[in-house]
Amino acid sequence: MRTAWSVSCGRIPYGEAWTLQKALLTARQAGVVPDTVLLLEHPPVITLGRSARASNVLAGADALAARGIDLFQIERGGDVTYHGPGQLVGYPIVDLRALDEDVVRYVRALEAALIDALAHWQISAERLRGFPGVWVGGAKAAAIGVAVRRKVTMHGFALNVAPDLAAFDLINPCGLGRPVTSMARLLGRRVALDDAEPVVAGTLAAALGLRLEPRGLAEIRTILNRVIGPGAGPAALRPGA
């Protein structure tokens, strides 16, 4: 098993996490840090992937701004996705050569990790052929969208633990016109992110063949500032922020 860092980031803005991902990507490509998994949640945000259609955002810019929802066009695959409180987001920054540079195999490993994690709560989840992600009864419980740059992955998955599902009415999730669900809805009770995170970390480590070593966010920022320089993004890499 390969040693990887696991970083529990708490709730951080999307732009800050995106900058942090890109700094880790650069450092991993240079071989100066090991594989790293960021686990976190975001304030409300909508992201558009490479194949996104603007029409899949169902609310106008003014309406989104009034609700404090940011909008980002990003380099991951897929269409439109919502992130918000109560959703566990994972960004594995891993060298894909460990999986024979097979992106499909990597996505299947992420799906397997989330299916195994949901099984911990006796939730029977599955894949749907042709539709990346994890599904329960025809509703999406977790979204997956990745990017690969010079053999290193970024972006990842979002598991709906206990988010406000009404927020998904602002988009056509992933451009599929299919319903969205959550662990809280399926179980009929609220689930804390603090309870879900270690379970997902464990199943993700098993699926990717990683041995996770916890690291603090401030420590990661300090290391990145040292190995690639503060120009990588001072807002994201500020020690102790």
Side-chain angles (χ1 to χ4, degrees), residues 1 13 101 180:
M1 300 184 75
E101 300 179 38
V180 175

Side-chain angles (χ1 to χ4, degrees), residues 4-29:
W5 291 341
S6 176
V7 189
S8 182
C9 303
R11 184 181 299 181
I12 60 176
Y14 188 86
E16 186 174 324
W18 191 20
T19 300
L20 181 58
Q21 280 193 80
K22 288 183 281 190
L24 280 164
L25 180 81
T26 297
R28 187 70 188 99
Q29 288 167 338

Side-chain angles (χ1 to χ4, degrees), residues 60-146:
D62 290 345
L64 294 177
R67 295 180 61 162
I69 300 175
D70 291 328
L71 185 67
F72 286 85
Q73 181 83 47
I74 57 174
E75 66 274 70
R76 65 160 171 79
D79 204 292
V80 59
T81 301
Y82 166 82
H83 298 307
Q87 189 182 64
L88 179 61
V89 178
Y91 296 133
I93 313 297
V94 301
D95 190 330
L96 200 58
R97 287 176 293 184
L99 296 174
D100 301 321
E101 300 179 38
D102 188 334
V103 178
V104 173
R105 180 182 171 191
Y106 172 66
V107 171
R108 294 294 173 266
L110 297 183
E111 291 171 339
L114 295 169
I115 290 170
D116 288 347
L118 288 170
H120 180 82
W121 284 270
Q122 289 75 53
I123 295 172
S124 181
E126 62 183 349
R127 300 181 176 92
L128 283 187
R129 187 177 179 87
F131 301 103
V134 173
W135 303 78
V136 180
K140 180 171 274 192
I144 292 176
V146 305

Side-chain angles (χ1 to χ4, degrees), residues 169-192:
D169 293 340
L170 298 169
I171 64 172
N172 174 11
C174 301
L176 299 178
R178 290 174 177 260
V180 175
T181 191
S182 68
M183 292 174 60
R185 171 171 286 181
L186 293 164
L187 294 171
R189 60 180 174 84
R190 190 163 186 84
V191 180

